[in-house]
Amino acid sequence: MPRDIPEWIIRRRRELGERLSVLRRTAGHSQETFAEMTGIDRRTLQRIERGESDPRYGDLLRIAAALDESVSVLVD
């Protein structure tokens, strides 16, 4: 991660990643099956869940649809 990213962004990435991970596990999906469901590469999903990567908006839409949630629930 670049060093010039503000701490609040890093914190929000981690919060988002944790929320996605919890919702995915609560729905009973492994990362591998969830990656297949959403069409997102498993490594990309791992980086998002660890808070290491910002998800693209299209990926957020796919994740929300797979979880039957709104994007606002994911990022709130």
Side-chain angles (χ1 to χ4, degrees), residues 3-73:
R3 296 177 191 268
D4 60 344
I5 297 174
E7 182 59 37
W8 67 271
I9 291 178
I10 294 168
R11 186 175 60 251
R12 290 296 304 242
R13 277 183 183 164
R14 289 182 186 139
E15 291 169 0
L16 172 63
E18 179 63 26
R19 188 174 303 114
L20 294 178
S21 177
V22 167
L23 289 169
R24 173 186 55 77
R25 288 182 280 130
T26 299
H29 303 298
S30 68
Q31 280 185 337
E32 185 173 333
T33 59
F34 197 68
E36 291 174 12
M37 289 172 61
T38 59
I40 300 170
D41 182 74
R42 185 179 53 81
R43 289 184 194 113
T44 300
L45 186 60
Q46 288 173 331
R47 286 190 298 271
I48 292 169
E49 287 189 359
R50 287 193 306 255
E52 297 172 357
S53 177
D54 289 322
R56 296 180 310 185
Y57 185 67
D59 291 343
L60 282 176
L61 291 173
R62 289 183 187 138
I63 291 167
L67 293 170
D68 196 30
E69 295 285 354
S70 67
V71 172
S72 64
V73 167

